[in-house]
Amino acid sequence: MTNVARADGMSAGTLTFFGDVLKGALPVALARWILGPIPSSLALVGFAAFLGAIASAFLRFRGGRGVATSVGVWLMLAPLPILIALVVFAAILAISRIVSLASLGAAMSLPAATAASGAPRQYVLLAIAMAALVLLRHRANIGRLVRGEEPRLGARRSG
């Protein structure tokens, strides 16, 4: 979403964000409707939706960072933990103006927020797995953060 916004503007970035959220929310909502509230099944469907966002078979197993898709997954699974993670995201973004840093902070807060909310064990394990994969998908961003080269929101890229 961030790259789309940088390349094509905020309207395209916002549309991409909502599309990615739906990419996570719809499969989980459909699974809940068909299967009922079975935590192991819903966690598995959520993980599949997330994996499809970060390693799409249609894109030669490449994809995005999975952050927006995970928002959709968690809105359907356990809204309180994702709301806590979104507050962490907003706070870090307000302070740093670095989207990747805010995304990493939100992802790292999700397992603790999920556990603290009393969510099923399957959801806590899902939060840990998703946070680890978000961290892995952000390794280039982490390198730029360490070097002080990660772009800030609103800053123009050189080159």
Side-chain angles (χ1 to χ4, degrees):
M1 185 226 49
T2 305
N3 290 336
V4 171
R6 283 190 184 119
D8 296 326
M10 278 307 292
S11 294
T14 300
L15 187 61
T16 300
F17 173 77
F18 285 113
D20 285 347
V21 169
L22 286 174
K23 195 170 22 177
L26 290 177
V28 177
L30 185 61
R32 183 183 305 275
W33 182 65
I34 293 170
L35 303 171
I38 304 167
S40 56
S41 297
L42 296 178
L44 190 58
V45 169
F47 192 59
F50 174 76
L51 283 179
I54 66 171
S56 172
F58 301 106
L59 298 174
R60 296 187 185 143
F61 298 98
R62 294 176 15 170
R65 306 290 191 265
V67 175
T69 301
S70 69
V71 170
V73 168
W74 287 99
L75 283 173
M76 294 296 107
L77 289 180
L80 182 59
I82 198 61
L83 292 177
I84 292 168
L86 289 171
V87 167
V88 170
F89 177 92
I92 294 172
L93 185 62
I95 293 166
S96 70
R97 291 184 22 245
I98 301 175
V99 174
S100 63
L101 184 62
S103 297
L104 289 165
M108 296 304 108
S109 72
L110 187 61
T114 304
S117 75
R121 177 178 47 89
Q122 296 91 331
Y123 293 0
V124 175
L125 294 173
L126 175 63
I128 292 167
M130 289 172 81
L133 287 170
V134 166
L135 185 68
L136 183 67
R137 297 292 295 163
H138 277 83
R139 43 186 200 280
N141 301 82
I142 293 168
R144 287 190 296 273
L145 284 164
V146 169
R147 293 188 304 273
E149 299 170 354
E150 187 72 348
R152 294 182 186 276
L153 195 61
R156 297 198 185 268
R157 283 193 157 177
S158 58

